Amino acid sequence: MQLLKKQQKRFKENNIIEVTAKQYDKDLAATRPSITIKGEKAQWSNKWMAGGNEITWDMIHYDVQLFGGVALHKGKIAEMATGEGKTVVATLPVFLNALAGRGVHIVTVNDYLSKRDSEWMGPIYEFHGLTVDCIDKHQPNSVERRKAYNADITFGTNNEFGFDYLRDNMAVNPEDLVQRKHHYAIVDEVDSVLIDDARTPLIISGPTAQADNQQFDELKPKVERLVSAQKKLVTQILADAKKADI
């Protein structure tokens, strides 16, 4: 966590950070204006686009925010007021657990936040060689969404994570699965996600293949004839009963 704090300080105090260019840097530079390659060096700018706006990194963790990161890492709930830096605090346990290479999920309440936070905090992780993606940027059951789940850090909304889980449970072939085994997740606005939204169940449906031994079509006419015969018999018995009373 101290490593991440020092790196954030470098971004705040320097407009450009120059490092030895690796293939990872070159791949990112192909799509990121904030990263340029000059010879054997990669230059990372402290300005990049997030949520449609250019931001300049100007945050360094306070010591009390480090305690918040420790609490989240231990699986506890950290309550913070608006403006106290929930998003930047989450970078600490996310970075630490992503180092294991088993995947970290960051669950948000809407797709704007998931996309914005992935772009806002993404370069902080990517500077250290971690891959970042957001499932809300890709269509369900697509190759791109499967790739997003295989990233070191995956952002997304609670509904999309939930529906992908349900879709995977309906998959017939292993290659149709998009999620990998779950390792670690941080839930933003946990009271909203696990209490308010949890009152509305996620429901998904899909076509079912007709079984080879389907007997419905075969038995339906027989059952209809049986019901018809029963009605005629009951009607006749009732009529006979009325006549007997007369």
Side-chain angles (χ1 to χ4, degrees), residues 14 21 37 44 52 78 89 93-94 104 107 111 113 132 148 165 171 182 202:
N14 300 277
I37 304 298
W44 289 66
V89 165
V94 167
V104 171
V107 186
D111 59 350
L113 288 177
V132 180
Y165 177 81
H182 300 148
L202 298 179

Side-chain angles (χ1 to χ4, degrees), residues 192-204:
S192 176
V193 173
L194 298 185
I195 298 177
D196 298 336
D197 290 355
R199 293 182 298 179
T200 304
L202 298 179
I203 301 175
I204 193 170

Side-chain angles (χ1 to χ4, degrees), residues 105-121:
H105 292 171
I106 303 177
V107 186
T108 61
V109 292
N110 62 64
D111 59 350
Y112 169 76
L113 288 177
S114 66
K115 295 174 183 177
R116 184 205 67 178
D117 290 354
S118 66
E119 296 168 356
W120 187 12
M121 302 296 150

Side-chain angles (χ1 to χ4, degrees), residues 18-49:
E18 189 173 84
V19 296
T20 301
K22 298 181 180 179
Q23 187 59 45
Y24 177 76
D25 300 291
K26 297 177 181 179
D27 293 339
L28 287 176
T31 58
R32 302 285 181 82
S34 61
I35 306 172
T36 56
I37 304 298
K38 291 188 176 181
E40 298 298 320
K41 298 294 183 180
Q43 295 181 341
W44 289 66
S45 172
N46 69 340
K47 297 180 181 180
W48 55 81
M49 298 297 295

Side-chain angles (χ1 to χ4, degrees), residues 58-229:
D58 59 354
M59 295 182 290
I60 302 175
H61 289 104
Y62 294 102
D63 290 342
V64 68
Q65 291 178 321
L66 297 179
F67 286 110
V70 171
L72 291 174
H73 171 65
K74 292 183 177 180
K76 299 179 180 180
I77 296 176
E79 182 179 1
M80 302 178 66
T82 301
E84 288 185 343
K86 295 189 293 292
T87 303
V88 72
V89 165
T91 61
L92 298 167
V94 167
F95 175 75
L96 181 61
N97 287 276
L99 293 176
R102 297 167 61 187
V104 171
H105 292 171
I106 303 177
V107 186
T108 61
V109 292
N110 62 64
D111 59 350
Y112 169 76
L113 288 177
S114 66
K115 295 174 183 177
R116 184 205 67 178
D117 290 354
S118 66
E119 296 168 356
W120 187 12
M121 302 296 150
I124 298 298
Y125 306 122
E126 292 169 333
F127 184 79
H128 293 282
L130 298 174
T131 55
V132 180
D133 210 332
C134 175
I135 60 174
D136 293 278
K137 294 182 178 180
H138 311 295
Q139 292 296 319
N141 295 325
S142 63
V143 175
E144 291 77 13
R145 182 164 286 203
R146 186 178 297 109
K147 182 180 178 181
Y149 276 110
N150 285 325
D152 295 312
I153 301 167
T154 305
F155 288 79
T157 55
N158 54 317
N159 283 341
E160 286 302 312
F161 279 122
F163 278 121
D164 282 337
Y165 177 81
L166 295 178
R167 293 186 191 100
D168 280 0
N169 277 272
M170 297 171 62
V172 177
N173 303 310
E175 56 269 22
D176 295 330
L177 303 176
V178 295
Q179 292 187 348
R180 56 172 166 170
K181 291 184 178 180
H182 300 148
H183 170 54
Y184 180 83
I186 287 183
V187 182
D188 189 17
E189 303 289 351
V190 67
D191 54 339
S192 176
V193 173
L194 298 185
I195 298 177
D196 298 336
D197 290 355
R199 293 182 298 179
T200 304
L202 298 179
I203 301 175
I204 193 170
S205 62
T208 56
Q210 185 172 347
D212 295 336
N213 60 345
Q214 179 61 260
Q215 296 179 331
F216 176 80
D217 293 335
E218 177 184 351
L219 296 177
K220 181 180 177 180
K222 296 180 180 179
V223 173
E224 289 176 339
R225 288 197 297 270
L226 177 60
V227 172
S228 178

